[in-house]
Amino acid sequence: MAANGQPAAAAATIDDLPEILLLDIFLRLPSLSDLVRAACTCLPWRNLVTNFPPFRRQFIDLHPAPLLGLFFDTPFQAVPGIPAFAPARRNDPELVAAILSGDFFLTALQARDGPEANWSFLDACGGYLLLIKEDEVLLLLLNPLARWCERFFDLSDSRIFDDDDDDREGDRQLLYAGLICDDENPASFGIFCLAAHGEFRLRAAVFFSFLGMGGDWFLSPWLDVPHHPNPHPEGDEDDEGDEDDDGDEGDLVLESGMRVGNFIYWLYQNRAYVVVLDPNPNNPRLFVEMIPPLLNLEGFHSSILGQINGDKMCIAYSNGFNIGFMLRQEDGLDAGAWANSRVFNLTDQVRRKLGYLPQNGLKIAAMRGSIVYFTTSQMFHPLEATCWFACLCLESRRLEWLFPRTYNGLFQPYHHSSWSTFLLPENERFYPFI
């Protein structure tokens, strides 16, 4: 009883908090693993998280998928091998635990093919890794975190390369393949391919897991292009300055296959235009989009197409020890035009890290979202030279040095998935490999 003789009020508990306030507390948790642990506390909390889709989007926006490391391709195509993994952020116990619990040595792949396995990566997205077997048109989708290696796509049995409207002779080849992942549903994925018939015809094919695992590919019409898409545009990167060789200006930079919003873009070496894929499964299509001469970026060390602030297209570039980016205007009188948005001068940071300034400046090698991955050396630099790998967030301006390593092959940043299947409502769960 209270002092005035009235019954004492019951003590308030966390269960008395309104749902909107509880969700606000969950948004402030530092990581996805913390949210999963909180949701495991009781069924009402789990139901609150899983049954409120707007919260899922808010949490993902505030907590981007963390980088686990980089997958490096084998530098010798004629020698059997598989991609090698180099972990980043070794001082984060949660990320280290995720790596130790996964199969980042790709032992399942080695057990299947033995010592003669010869696989190269094509893409890494949403926790998935897409590989291709050398000398075969065989794709493999695997998830190192989930420790499975179950889904193969034999494109030689598909109709991707059929061209009934063109009787011309010419090589039919797979130029590029990549992943389309849903940040809000880690069990859902898509694969897109770019095929060529001869020198001047391209076709796209898309596959989506949510449409069933029967193996149906949705094909775009063939697109006639004015230049030959060279399947190895980077060529001999050990020759300094060869990136701007006039003989390669008509080549499609296949490694540029960047997702921006709902589209995939392949930039041409001369940066005059891009090939664009709309991966709509009901009507996939390829088309060509011109690029203003402003973006030829003559004299710039390297550049890459990407996105920032959600789904705004941008071009990030390096010039010496400066990294900048341009944004395309979406509306107004300048709609479609490009403007330089911001430039980051990293001279002092590079000098402090290396103790000197490399002769050739910084080289942009990859971009995921608004994060640019760059190196302090060209690919295939002398082994005695130190090459640092680093990433720069164009939105937060945060620079992070990852590790030094010999840069002797292409690489893909590998991120943890943005959401957990455990936090999906039952009607959205889909396990295509079980």
Side-chain angles (χ1 to χ4, degrees):
M1 301 290 288
N4 60 3
Q6 298 296 322
T13 68
I14 194 170
D15 293 328
D16 298 317
L17 290 176
E19 291 184 349
I20 189 66
L21 183 56
L22 200 56
L23 288 174
D24 189 60
I25 293 174
F26 290 161
L27 278 177
R28 299 170 189 270
L29 293 174
S31 68
L32 177 61
S33 58
D34 292 310
L35 178 63
V36 171
R37 284 192 286 268
C40 289
T41 303
C42 60
L43 187 58
W45 283 16
R46 180 182 174 187
N47 290 338
L48 180 61
V49 172
T50 59
N51 296 326
F52 191 63
F55 169 81
R56 192 187 316 174
R57 183 70 264 165
Q58 288 177 302
F59 191 90
I60 292 173
D61 289 341
L62 293 174
H63 304 79
L67 174 72
L68 294 184
L70 306 179
F71 271 103
F72 287 83
D73 217 346
T74 174
F76 308 108
Q77 298 298 323
V79 179
I82 60 174
F85 181 75
R89 302 171 182 169
R90 297 175 175 84
N91 60 345
D92 189 321
E94 289 193 353
L95 299 185
V96 171
I99 294 173
L100 292 177
S101 64
D103 182 18
F104 286 84
F105 287 109
L106 307 184
T107 54
L109 189 58
Q110 298 182 60
R112 176 187 181 275
D113 285 357
E116 296 184 0
N118 193 6
W119 293 84
S120 299
F121 65 72
L122 290 171
D123 200 3
C125 181
Y128 294 105
L129 193 65
L130 184 65
L131 304 178
I132 184 170
K133 192 169 187 179
E134 296 296 331
D135 303 325
E136 297 183 29
V137 195
L138 182 65
L139 302 183
L140 165 65
L141 183 73
L142 59 85
N143 186 335
L145 283 171
R147 302 185 67 88
W148 56 251
C149 173
E150 300 266 346
R151 183 56 173 163
F152 292 86
F153 299 85
D154 189 352
L155 300 184
S156 62
D157 295 334
S158 68
R159 300 182 58 84
I160 292 177
F161 304 104
D162 292 353
D163 190 0
D164 297 334
D165 297 331
D166 194 331
D167 296 329
R168 290 176 295 182
E169 294 293 330
D171 295 333
R172 291 168 169 83
Q173 57 180 320
L174 178 69
L175 297 181
Y176 188 89
L179 291 165
I180 304 172
C181 295
D182 184 354
D183 289 341
E184 299 184 30
N185 189 340
S188 177
F189 68 89
I191 297 177
F192 63 90
C193 298
L194 186 67
H197 177 194
E199 296 183 344
F200 308 113
R201 291 173 69 80
L202 298 177
R203 162 183 271 178
V206 295
F207 174 93
F208 288 96
S209 61
F210 60 80
L211 296 176
M213 301 301 291
D216 290 335
W217 290 83
F218 296 85
L219 306 178
S220 75
W222 285 97
L223 173 70
D224 291 318
V225 293
H227 296 283
H228 172 60
N230 184 353
H232 301 288
E234 295 299 326
D236 301 324
E237 291 203 25
D238 54 340
D239 295 333
E240 298 296 335
D242 64 345
E243 293 186 22
D244 295 323
D245 186 88
D246 292 339
D248 294 334
E249 285 191 355
D251 293 338
L252 199 62
V253 183
L254 299 173
E255 286 80 6
S256 67
M258 297 297 297
R259 291 159 293 273
V260 182
N262 295 325
F263 297 90
I264 297 96
Y265 295 79
W266 289 272
L267 188 67
Y268 269 73
Q269 188 74 34
N270 61 3
R271 302 183 179 95
Y273 56 92
V274 292
V275 172
V276 187
L277 167 62
D278 177 0
N280 184 341
N282 296 319
N283 183 30
R285 62 191 183 98
L286 281 174
F287 57 94
V288 173
E289 182 174 302
M290 303 300 295
I291 294 182
L294 169 67
L295 294 185
N296 286 339
L297 300 176
E298 293 296 335
F300 286 86
H301 193 55
S302 61
S303 61
I304 194 168
L305 192 66
Q307 65 182 30
I308 193 173
N309 298 329
D311 58 358
K312 290 185 178 180
M313 182 187 294
C314 77
I315 286 186
Y317 61 88
S318 67
N319 182 12
F321 299 98
N322 296 318
I323 290 182
F325 66 96
M326 296 178 174
L327 289 178
R328 186 169 65 175
Q329 307 303 308
E330 300 297 335
D331 49 29
L333 296 177
D334 295 329
W338 292 76
N340 208 27
S341 182
R342 188 177 299 166
V343 177
F344 304 89
N345 189 324
L346 305 181
T347 304
D348 293 339
Q349 292 92 323
V350 174
R351 182 184 287 111
R352 285 197 298 268
K353 194 65 180 179
L354 274 66
Y356 65 96
L357 290 178
Q359 180 179 0
N360 296 312
L362 305 178
K363 165 73 174 180
I364 293 178
M367 187 172 180
R368 295 294 181 271
S370 60
I371 299 178
V372 172
Y373 293 86
F374 65 91
T375 67
T376 58
S377 174
Q378 292 278 354
M379 190 191 301
F380 300 118
H381 68 283
L383 294 181
E384 63 271 12
T386 300
C387 177
W388 269 91
F389 292 77
C391 58
L392 172 68
C393 180
L394 301 180
E395 293 179 353
S396 67
R397 307 184 185 185
R398 180 188 177 191
L399 171 66
E400 181 177 2
W401 294 98
L402 299 177
F403 47 74
R405 192 181 190 277
T406 301
Y407 188 17
N408 56 1
L410 299 173
F411 69 85
Q412 288 279 353
Y414 181 84
H415 291 256
H416 198 290
S417 54
S418 300
W419 195 249
S420 171
T421 306
F422 173 78
L423 299 178
L424 290 176
E426 292 293 337
N427 63 334
E428 292 187 37
R429 296 190 184 187
F430 175 58
Y431 301 94
F433 303 100
I434 296 177

